[in-house]
């Protein structure tokens, strides 16, 4: 089974998509990676879904990526005596550490770390930004505010503090337990919520101990400001537009999305555009035109992956949502404008031999009738570098490691093939030719480009490029061993 598009699709699993039949249907419709949302579902549910994905993978013979999304710390107000109150614009309202039930004048905010970071003039957002408060005075256990945007405030609504970096760890105790559980389970990617600084990512990496790649969710203004440093220590990026749109003006999110995608592409690290992409398909079998345009925009920007959340986890039409994404992607990638946009946004980076090899592979493929670029990759780095070039031909990533193939399921254009370990270059060329023909990328009359590193099975040694005929009889006996 091969995809006829380059952008990957991430589908979140949930109550609407927890059976073998549904998960298999989602994969066959186009999902390349499945997201397990640790904010919902107990460990037993997560383990069952993980096992089903691996069974589908085995039955269909294709590597499938699994992304576990950690919840992150949740900042919430306490409870109200009347369960809810109406806050009126211009009124005063206090948040404090008192555990007494709230009223129209005050409520408990059981987070002393927030009070420690507040300053006069800081904004506090409640209930996904529907209510906006401005701090007039604050101390170690209180904040007196003016209501700038009123509304109904009720029990345990979430609080956002967009103006300051909070002294709150990205990993709560729940997250630490979840991280250990999913790493032992065998997920391929960990999505880290509430990232504010590179140290948050470094901590998660130390706990993961190489068992999963770390993907940083950019959802806070502090993360946008520290993006370059966060990107450097991350294996991938998720543009979490929903939370960004709460803590930042919604008009600033599109240019931020473009900058984040461009940065990740330049670093050859996969980037997912997420949140509310086909939101109406939770209830409707067809999307709005605006949603289709939104998905298309992310594809034109060169994102590695686009993601479904509630649409596939809890919606009425999960398969239709994946099918719609797949159809939009295929339509966009056939558009001649798509190639011109992708090529115009390509960033030239020539810092290593590997950079030069993959750039040459793309240029040869574009100048001649090459059908695919086949790259041997132990860790996935070479395949990621080839993907950064966004070539107009297919990318076949050959690796002896299933773990690498699964992680590459998130990388733009990478069609992963498990191949026996190679120790001679001629054997690698023959394996590449066999894979290209077996999976329908080329025929005996075609040619492919092969990249590899000698010595084999050593990280960071990409140093050979070969144009090879797909007719094995024509492969010269004098090919380098």
């Amino acid at each position: 089974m091969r995809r006829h598009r380059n952008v990957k699709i991430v589908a979140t699993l949930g109550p609407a998509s927890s059976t073998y039949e549904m998960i298999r249907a989602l994969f066959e419709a186009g999902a390349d990676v499945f997201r397990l949302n640790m904010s919902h579902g107990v460990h037993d549910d997560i383990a069952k879904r993980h096992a089903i994905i691996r069974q589908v993978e085995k039955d269909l013979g294709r590597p499938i990526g699994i992304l576990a999304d950690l919840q992150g710390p949740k900042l919430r107000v306490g409870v109200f005596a009347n369960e809810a109150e109406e806050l009126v614009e211009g009124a005063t309202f206090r948040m404090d550490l008192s555990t007494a039930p709230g009223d129209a004048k005050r409520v408990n905010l059981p987070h002393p770390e927030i009070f420690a970071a507040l300053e006069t003039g800081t904004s506090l957002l409640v209930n996904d930004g529907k209510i906006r408060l401005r701090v007039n005075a604050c101390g170690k256990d209180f904040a007196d505010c003016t209501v700038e945007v009123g509304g109904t405030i009720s029990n345990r609504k979430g609080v956002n503090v967009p103006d300051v970096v909070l002294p709150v760890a990205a990993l709560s105790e729940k997250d630490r337990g979840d991280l250990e559980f999913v790493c032992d389970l065998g997920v391929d990617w960990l999505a880290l919520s509430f990232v504010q600084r590179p140290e948050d990512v470094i901590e998660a990496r130390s706990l993961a101990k190489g068992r999963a790649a770390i993907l940083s969710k950019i959802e806070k203004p502090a993360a946008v400001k520290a993006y370059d440093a966060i990107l450097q220590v991350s294996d991938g990026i998720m543009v979490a537009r929903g939370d960004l749109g709460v803590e930042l003006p919604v008009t600033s999110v599109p240019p931020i999305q473009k900058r984040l995608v461009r940065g990740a592409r330049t670093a050859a690290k996969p980037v997912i555009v997420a949140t509310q992409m086909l939101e109406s398909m939770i209830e409707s079998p067809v999307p709005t035109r605006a949603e289709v345009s939104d998905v298309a925009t992310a594809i034109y920007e060169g994102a590695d992956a686009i993601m479904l959340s509630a649409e596939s986890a809890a919606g009425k039409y999960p398969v239709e949502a994946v099918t719609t994404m797949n159809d939009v992607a295929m339509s966009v990638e056939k558009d001649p404008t798509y190639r011109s946009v992708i090529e115009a946004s390509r960033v030239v980076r020539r810092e290593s031999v590997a950079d030069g090899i993959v750039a040459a592979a793309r240029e040869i493929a574009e100048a001649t009738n090459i059908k695919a670029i086949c790259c041997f990759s132990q860790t996935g780095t070479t395949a990621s570098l080839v993907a950064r070039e966004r070539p107009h031909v297919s990318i076949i990533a050959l690796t002896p490691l299933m773990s690498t193939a699964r992680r590459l399921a998130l990388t733009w254009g990478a069609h992963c093939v498990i191949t026996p370990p190679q120790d001679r270059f001629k054997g690698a060329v023959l394996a590449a030719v066999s894979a290209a023909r077996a999976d329908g990328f080329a025929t005996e009359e075609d040619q492919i480009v092969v990249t590899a590193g000698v010595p084999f099975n050593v990280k960071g040694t990409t140093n050979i490029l070969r144009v090879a005929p797909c007719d094995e009889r024509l492969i010269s006996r004098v090919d380098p061993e």
Side-chain angles (χ1 to χ4, degrees), residues 206-254:
S206 69
L207 294 172
K209 299 175 182 176
R211 292 172 291 174
I214 307 298
L215 187 142
S216 296
K217 295 168 66 175
I218 307 301
E219 55 190 353
K220 298 189 69 62
V224 174
K225 292 179 182 177
Y227 180 60
D228 291 342
I230 290 170
L231 176 61
Q232 186 174 358
V233 297
S234 303
D235 298 307
I237 294 294
M238 181 188 295
V239 185
R241 306 174 309 166
D243 289 293
L244 280 176
V246 170
E247 298 208 6
L248 289 166
V250 291
T251 52
S252 70
V253 174

Side-chain angles (χ1 to χ4, degrees), residues 51 95 139 180 205 230 263-264 290 313 320 322 335 388 402 422 458 463 472:
M95 292 186 172
E180 192 63 29
R205 186 179 298 283
I230 290 170
E320 290 84 351
V322 172
D335 177 15
R388 180 179 66 192
M402 178 60 85
Q422 303 293 327
V458 177
N463 53 20
E472 296 176 5

